[in-house]
């Protein structure tokens, strides 16, 4: 399949890049400072694109590749891919679900524990020698706290399962109630926030979920509540979150994602009740290898006429 042109627009695991280079004619976006130069020489030969949320496949790129057949998203969220344009042109789209569920759910629990028990601050307390001057202040326990989850999909369910191990009551919000779920359902995010101690954002990013965490939700969570975001930065109205934390209207926040990554609001850096991570939810060796294998498996399936392993449904009612 070496004659098949493939465009890599994002940074991936070296293992995946090596496999793509071995099996396909690989064009790296990073090798071309000017997109026009790449397109003028190779656009017609590119039949597949590998991308992610940060470096995606927008309408302009898709239109510029006349023989594009498939877009492979190295991640779960496909908000970096213009699905409408793909549907219009009959281009297939895949992602890498399931394999990163455990890593992201693990991190969500880690964020909760780190935030409530002030683990980062405790570490600094010991390193700076302050422990010799006195005991560290009391913190808040996780066990028994009510956890509300926005989005009860694969990752949301995995977080709920882990939180149950801490004897936490679980409740959730989703577009529709899930009859098979044993957890309490609330028909709005404001109601969910009003009835939980810890609110975890774990839904997909869509037009409906953009800024789903707004001032009303934050105020409903209140000065003793905690917000955890392992979804997408744009789920949260970041300006409202910052003001709530600065003004003491929210108890704390654990954030792995931000609205304008890698830029983080400067006001958050001086706050003790905030834990900030550089979007590392799925960032484990095991997960990245599994994601890479899914990309390779989908490519092989497509170019051998077999069913895709993890296709994205492009019917209008889904998108």
């Amino acid at each position: 399949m070496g004659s098949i042109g493939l465009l890599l627009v994002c940074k991936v695991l070296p293992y995946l890049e090596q496999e793509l280079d071995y099996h396909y004619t690989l064009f790296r976006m990073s090798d071309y400072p000017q997109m026009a130069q790449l397109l003028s020489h190779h656009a017609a030969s590119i039949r597949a694109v590998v991308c992610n949320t940060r470096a995606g496949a927008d309408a302009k790129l898709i239109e510029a590749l006349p023989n594009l057949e498939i877009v492979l998203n190295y991640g779960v969220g496909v908000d970096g891919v213009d699905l409408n344009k793909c549907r219009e042109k009959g281009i297939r789209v895949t992602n890498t679900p399931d394999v990163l569920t455990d890593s992201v759910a693990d991190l969500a629990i880690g964020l909760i524990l780190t935030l409530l028990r002030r683990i980062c601050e405790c570490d600094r307390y010991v390193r700076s020698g302050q422990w010799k001057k006195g005991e560290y202040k009391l913190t808040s326990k996780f066990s028994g706290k009510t956890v509300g989850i926005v989005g009860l999909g694969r990752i949301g369910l995995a977080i709920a399962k882990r939180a149950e191990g801490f004897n936490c009551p679980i409740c959730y919000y989703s577009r529709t109630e899930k009859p098979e779920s044993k957890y309490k359902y609330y028909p709005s995010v404001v109601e969910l926030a009003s009835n939980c101690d810890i609110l975890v954002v774990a839904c997909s990013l869509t037009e409906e979920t953009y800024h789903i965490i707004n001032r009303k939700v934050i105020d409903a969570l209140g000065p003793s509540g905690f917000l955890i975001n392992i979804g997408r930065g744009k789920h949260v109205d970041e300006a409202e979150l910052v003001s709530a934390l600065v003004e003491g209207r929210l108890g704390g926040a654990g954030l792995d994602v931000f609205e304008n990554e890698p830029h983080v609001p400067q006001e958050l850096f001086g706050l003790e009740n905030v834990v900030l991570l550089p979007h590392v939810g799925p960032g484990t060796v095991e997960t990245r290898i599994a994601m890479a294998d899914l990309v390779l498996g989908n490519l092989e399936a497509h170019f051998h006429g077999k069913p895709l392993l993890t296709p994205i449904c492009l019917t209008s009612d889904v998108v």
Side-chain angles (χ1 to χ4, degrees):
M1 291 190 292
S3 61
I4 295 174
L6 184 148
L7 176 60
L8 179 63
V9 303
C10 63
K11 184 177 180 180
V12 297
L13 198 70
Y15 156 68
L16 175 55
E17 185 170 346
Q18 291 164 10
E19 288 294 308
L20 293 175
D21 201 17
Y22 180 78
H23 293 287
Y24 303 90
T25 300
L26 182 63
F27 303 101
R28 300 170 179 84
M29 187 80 81
S30 58
D31 291 340
Y32 296 85
Q34 300 296 326
M35 170 74 78
Q37 182 185 9
L38 167 66
L39 296 176
S40 64
H41 290 88
H42 306 295
S45 65
I46 295 173
R47 296 170 61 189
V49 168
V50 175
C51 64
N52 62 15
T53 301
R54 299 179 189 180
D58 59 14
K60 183 178 179 181
L61 177 63
I62 293 169
E63 286 284 5
L65 302 174
N67 297 312
L68 182 62
E69 300 173 20
I70 186 169
V71 173
L72 303 107
N73 190 68
Y74 185 59
V76 174
V78 290
D79 39 295
V81 180
D82 192 317
L83 299 181
N84 290 323
K85 182 60 66 174
C86 288
R87 185 195 307 116
E88 174 189 319
K89 299 180 76 66
I91 295 166
R92 307 173 88 182
V93 181
T94 69
N95 65 343
T96 58
D98 296 323
V99 295
L100 51 68
T101 296
D102 284 340
S103 289
V104 177
D106 288 350
L107 191 79
I109 299 301
L111 266 175
I112 294 172
L113 287 167
T114 302
L115 179 62
L116 270 62
R117 296 306 305 271
R118 301 289 182 92
I119 292 175
C120 293
E121 194 179 340
C122 286
D123 177 78
R124 291 192 293 268
Y125 195 80
V126 174
R127 291 174 186 268
S128 66
Q130 294 184 70
W131 191 16
K132 297 175 182 177
K133 301 176 183 178
E135 297 295 320
Y136 186 74
K137 62 189 177 185
L138 298 179
T139 60
S140 181
K141 75 172 186 175
F142 174 32
S143 297
K145 291 277 194 302
T146 299
V147 175
I149 301 174
V150 181
L152 203 64
R154 297 182 184 92
I155 293 174
L157 283 169
I159 294 168
K161 181 179 179 181
R162 286 157 172 75
E164 281 190 89
F166 290 84
N167 296 316
C168 293
I170 309 295
C171 48
Y172 73 99
Y173 163 81
S174 62
R175 285 182 298 174
T176 57
E177 185 173 2
K178 300 181 182 297
E180 73 281 3
S181 175
K182 61 182 177 180
Y183 307 128
K184 183 172 178 58
Y185 171 74
Y186 287 100
S188 76
V189 183
V190 172
E191 290 178 77
L192 178 66
S194 299
N195 289 279
C196 68
D197 303 300
I198 302 164
L199 186 65
V200 183
V201 185
C203 55
S204 300
L205 181 61
T206 64
E207 290 182 7
E208 292 75 22
T209 62
Y210 174 78
H211 281 188
I212 195 170
I213 308 301
N214 52 34
R215 187 183 182 97
K216 288 184 178 179
V217 173
I218 292 170
D219 286 346
L221 194 53
S224 60
F226 301 91
L227 177 69
I228 304 293
N229 189 7
I230 47 80
R232 287 283 184 266
K234 290 181 172 61
H235 284 135
V236 178
D237 186 330
E238 207 164 75
E240 290 291 348
L241 174 63
V242 170
S243 65
L245 289 165
V246 171
E247 296 165 13
R249 292 185 288 109
L250 182 65
L255 309 170
D256 185 41
V257 290
F258 303 88
E259 277 209 74
N260 188 30
E261 296 175 3
H263 303 288
V264 178
Q266 190 76 25
E267 299 95 323
L268 297 178
F269 295 160
L271 300 178
E272 295 179 350
N273 59 339
V274 178
V275 178
L276 309 171
L277 303 182
H279 201 154
V280 292
T284 64
V285 173
E286 297 88 348
T287 297
R288 295 297 192 202
I289 290 174
M291 290 167 61
D293 286 339
L294 266 181
V295 169
L296 294 169
N298 277 309
L299 272 168
E300 183 177 2
H302 173 74
F303 288 115
H304 282 88
K306 299 178 181 178
L308 296 175
L309 304 181
T310 53
I312 293 292
C313 181
L314 296 180
T315 54
S316 57
D317 59 325
V318 172
V319 180

